[in-house]
Amino acid sequence: SRGESNPKADFQHSPLLHSALESFAMAADVPGGGQGDVKVSEVRDLTRIERIGAHSHIRGLGLDDALEARNVSQGMVGQQDARRGAGIILNMIREGQIAGRAVLLAGQPGTGKTAIAMGMAKALGEETPFAMMAGSEIFSLEMNKTEALTQAFRKAIGVRIKEETEIIEGEVVEVEIDRPGGGSGASTSGSAAKTGKITLKTTEMETVYDLGAKMIESLEKERVQSGDVITIDKASGRITKLGRSFVHARDYDAMGAQTKFVQCPEGELQKRKEVVHVVTLHEVDVINSRSQGFLALFAGDTGEIRSEVREQIDGKVAEWREEGKAEIVPGVLFIDEVHMLDIECFSFLNRALENEMAPILVVATNRGITKIRGTNYKSPHGIPIDLLDRLLIISTKPYTEKEMRLIVDIRCEEEDVEMADDAKELLTKIGQETSLRYALHLITSASLVCKRRKGAEVEIEDVSKVYSLFMDVKRSTQFLVEYQSQFMYNEIGAIAGGGAYSIPSNAEGGAAPME
C-alpha cells in the first residue's frame, strides 16, 4: 500500500528503535512475564530521553485571558510589559489578517529576549509555522543571502490544505489469516501469499472484507486483534488503531495502563472524512523543485530554488484559496542577533515585508548604537533607520534580585537538582554581581560536585567550589590585566620592551605592527 512507511528511513530517523527492539526481544524471553505490559513501560522510558536546553522550561508567555502577564507562569518570570506586548502580537498572528508586521526585541544580554520568542512559539501551537534562525547563518549557507532569507520567509508561511478521503471505520469482530505452506510455524517466504478476512462492525451493520498480503502485513504491524476499533484509509490502505471498544473493558486480557477505550462507531462502515494538512510554502517549493519529491526534505541541503517554481506554486495556492481548498496560515520568522545582517539583507527585508504573503517578523538584538554591517554609518541596534521605522520595538529590562531567585528555582526544578535555600541565595547573589547566565551554568556543575561527596542536596560549599573553579567574565578580565605581560601578542608588554612573550621586533627595530 502507498501509505506504508519506508523501513530503511524509519531506522535512519529513529536512533532509539534498535535499543527498543532489543529490549522487547529480551522481555519476550522472560518466562511468565507479561509481554504487553513490559513493552508499554519500555516505550515510556525511551520516549522520555530528552536533553535539557537553556529554554526547555518555557511553556508559553504566561498570560491570562485578558493578556495580563502573571508574575511567574509557564516558565516565564518578570518582563511583564514585554510579555504583554508579545501577547498582543500573538493575537495579531492568530487572526492572520495582517501581513508584513515586524517586531524588535531589544535589551541587554541575559534579559530574556530569546525566551519571549520561544514562549511565542509554544503559545502558537503546532499548526502555526515558527521558523528560527541566527543572523550569522545567512553568511554560512551555500547560497546567496537573498535566497537564504527568501527560504526563511517561506518556512514561516503555512498552507492549510483540506481534502476529503474515504475511510472504513469499525470495531474488529474477527481476523482470519490463512498461512499457506503448513500453518503458522512454517516458512511463508514461498510464492504463495497470505490471504485472510476481517470482520468489522458498527452499531448498525457488520461486514466481512477480504485481505491481501499488504493489508495483512499492516494489521500485524499494528497488532490489531478482536475488540480493537480501527480506521482504514481506502486510498492509501493505511490502518490506524483508535483504541479498544468499551465492550471489552472488563476482559481479563493483559492490558497496560495506557490502553485507550473508545465507543463502537455508529452509522455505516464506509464514511467520508475531511483531512486537514498544514505544510509550509518552503516544503512545497522543495517537493516541486527536486526530482525525488518529498524525500528531498530529508536530504538537508535543499540548494537554491528557481523563481519560476515559486511563481507557479504561488499561482496554484491562489487557485486553491479561491476554490476553498486551502487557507494561508501566516506564521512567525524569528531572527536572533539581527545586527549580524548586512545592509543588503536589511534592504531585502524592507521589500519583503511589503509582500502580502509575508509572515510576522520578530528580530532580537542586544546591541546599542553601533555600525551597520557593510557600511561606516552608525545606527541604533545596528539596524538602518528606514527599517527601524517599520518595527514595533519591545524592550526588555534587567531582572531584579527577586526575579533572579525565581528563575534559579525554576532551573533547579528543570535540571532535577535538589538545592538548599542558602545555596540558591548565593547563586542569586552571584547572578547579580556577574550575570544570570553564569549563575545558571553553575547549577549542574554544583550538582556534580555534590554527587561526588555523596550529598543529598547542593550546599553553599558546592556552589563556592564551582565558583572558584569556573571564572566569570569580570574575574577573567581582571586576571588578564594582572598577568598581561606573560601572554602572547601583548601590546603593553611589547612597548615596555620586556617580558618573555613580547612581540618580536621588525627590521627597523620597532615593534612589529599589529594586524
Side-chain angles (χ1 to χ4, degrees):
S1 87
R2 288 183 285 129
E4 289 178 6
S5 59
N6 180 4
K8 185 177 179 183
D10 286 347
F11 272 91
Q12 286 175 345
H13 297 289
S14 302
L16 296 177
L17 197 56
H18 297 287
S19 57
L21 290 172
E22 288 172 5
S23 301
F24 293 163
M26 290 170 63
D29 292 334
V30 177
Q35 189 179 353
D37 290 343
V38 173
K39 287 181 182 177
V40 169
S41 63
E42 286 290 340
V43 169
R44 193 185 306 161
D45 291 338
L46 286 167
T47 52
R48 285 186 60 205
I49 298 173
E50 294 177 357
R51 295 194 68 187
I52 298 168
H55 300 102
S56 56
H57 62 284
I58 303 294
R59 308 279 184 266
L61 284 172
L63 303 173
D64 58 19
D65 294 336
L67 294 182
E68 290 297 322
R70 303 185 191 95
N71 192 34
V72 183
S73 179
Q74 295 181 324
M76 299 292 289
V77 176
Q79 306 293 356
Q80 276 92 343
D81 291 340
R83 283 156 55 201
R84 203 176 294 126
I88 293 169
I89 299 297
L90 209 64
N91 273 10
M92 195 163 66
I93 296 164
R94 283 181 180 140
E95 289 174 7
Q97 301 297 325
I98 302 172
R101 293 299 170 95
V103 182
L104 170 65
L105 298 172
Q108 300 97 315
T111 52
K113 298 181 293 297
T114 309
I116 289 173
M118 293 295 293
M120 290 176 71
K122 296 282 186 182
L124 282 171
E126 294 291 331
E127 279 202 354
T128 306
F130 189 94
M132 289 186 71
M133 66 182 303
S136 55
E137 282 182 41
I138 300 288
F139 304 96
S140 59
L141 297 171
E142 292 181 357
M143 62 182 78
N144 63 57
K145 292 176 281 191
T146 53
E147 172 67 18
L149 283 171
T150 303
Q151 290 191 12
F153 263 70
R154 290 177 78 85
K155 282 177 186 174
I157 303 168
V159 184
R160 188 183 288 118
I161 302 168
K162 300 174 185 175
E163 61 176 356
E164 281 194 348
T165 181
E166 289 192 2
I167 62 166
I168 300 170
E169 185 178 64
E171 179 187 330
V172 179
V173 178
E174 187 181 12
V175 180
E176 295 179 11
I177 298 174
D178 299 325
R179 292 178 171 84
S184 59
S187 172
T188 58
S189 60
S191 58
K194 288 187 285 187
T195 57
K197 293 180 180 180
I198 185 170
T199 307
L200 295 175
K201 72 168 186 177
T202 64
T203 54
E204 297 179 8
M205 61 185 296
E206 184 173 311
T207 309
V208 180
Y209 293 95
D210 291 327
L211 298 173
K214 289 284 186 183
M215 289 296 293
I216 291 171
E217 193 179 323
S218 298
L219 285 168
E220 289 176 344
K221 186 179 177 182
E222 292 290 333
R223 301 178 186 276
V224 174
Q225 56 185 337
S226 176
D228 290 340
V229 178
I230 64 169
T231 61
I232 303 172
D233 190 333
K234 289 185 72 175
S236 64
R238 187 177 61 189
I239 295 173
T240 307
K241 187 156 67 170
L242 302 179
R244 294 280 293 170
S245 173
F246 274 115
V247 179
H248 297 267
R250 295 187 178 275
D251 287 0
Y252 291 101
D253 297 337
M255 289 180 290
Q258 294 184 340
T259 303
K260 182 181 176 184
F261 290 99
V262 294
Q263 293 282 0
C264 180
E266 299 177 353
E268 295 190 2
L269 279 163
Q270 296 193 34
K271 302 171 185 174
R272 294 188 69 83
K273 185 179 179 183
E274 188 180 75
V275 181
V276 179
H277 308 282
V278 178
V279 294
T280 66
L281 282 178
H282 176 67
E283 288 170 346
V284 182
D285 292 345
V286 173
I287 291 168
N288 287 277
S289 66
R290 296 288 181 272
S291 58
Q292 61 265 45
F294 76 95
L295 292 175
L297 293 170
F298 302 106
D301 183 18
T302 56
E304 297 194 10
I305 298 168
R306 290 181 292 114
S307 58
E308 294 86 0
V309 174
R310 290 199 175 107
E311 287 172 8
Q312 290 175 3
I313 289 166
D314 289 346
K316 195 67 180 174
V317 169
E319 283 180 27
W320 288 346
R321 287 174 69 186
E322 289 177 6
E323 295 169 6
K325 290 181 181 178
E327 298 174 15
I328 293 295
V329 185
V332 179
L333 172 60
F334 175 59
I335 304 178
D336 209 353
E337 308 294 336
V338 71
H339 53 265
M340 292 300 295
L341 299 182
D342 62 9
I343 190 68
E344 295 173 22
C345 296
F346 288 128
S347 300
F348 177 82
L349 288 179
N350 264 328
R351 176 68 188 87
L353 285 172
E354 293 174 354
N355 192 339
E356 63 174 13
M357 296 276 276
I360 302 292
L361 178 67
V362 180
V363 297
T365 180
N366 54 21
R367 298 296 167 94
I369 296 172
T370 185
K371 278 187 181 180
I372 302 167
R373 186 170 179 172
T375 71
N376 291 321
Y377 298 103
K378 288 189 175 181
S379 176
H381 312 297
I383 301 172
I385 298 295
D386 56 343
L387 182 57
L388 276 174
D389 276 344
R390 298 175 186 269
L391 301 176
L392 295 170
I393 302 175
I394 297 174
S395 62
T396 55
K397 301 168 186 174
Y399 291 107
T400 63
E401 183 179 354
K402 185 179 177 182
E403 289 168 349
M404 277 193 183
R405 171 59 196 271
L406 291 170
I407 293 170
V408 168
D409 288 341
I410 291 170
R411 288 305 300 178
C412 285
E413 185 179 344
E414 179 70 16
E415 297 177 28
D416 200 15
V417 173
E418 293 289 333
M419 187 176 289
D421 287 341
D422 50 359
K424 288 180 180 177
E425 290 292 342
L426 178 58
L427 268 183
T428 306
K429 194 73 176 171
I430 290 171
Q432 273 195 301
E433 293 180 358
T434 57
S435 71
L436 178 61
R437 285 173 178 161
Y438 173 72
L440 296 181
H441 285 157
L442 296 183
I443 293 175
T444 303
S445 308
S447 173
L448 293 173
V449 172
C450 175
K451 286 178 183 175
R452 186 68 182 260
R453 65 173 179 82
K454 294 181 172 57
E457 62 178 10
V458 177
E459 302 288 350
I460 283 185
E461 56 264 27
D462 301 319
V463 177
S464 303
K465 175 78 172 175
V466 292
Y467 180 74
S468 62
L469 287 174
F470 304 108
M471 286 191 172
D472 59 274
V473 177
K474 287 181 182 177
R475 284 185 293 156
S476 180
T477 307
Q478 186 179 353
F479 179 83
L480 287 175
V481 171
E482 197 170 331
Y483 297 99
Q484 58 192 348
S485 61
Q486 297 179 26
F487 281 85
M488 291 284 287
Y489 304 114
N490 177 54
E491 290 185 80
I492 298 175
I495 294 167
Y501 298 103
S502 59
I503 298 174
S505 300
N506 61 13
E508 297 179 0
M514 294 289 287
E515 289 292 336

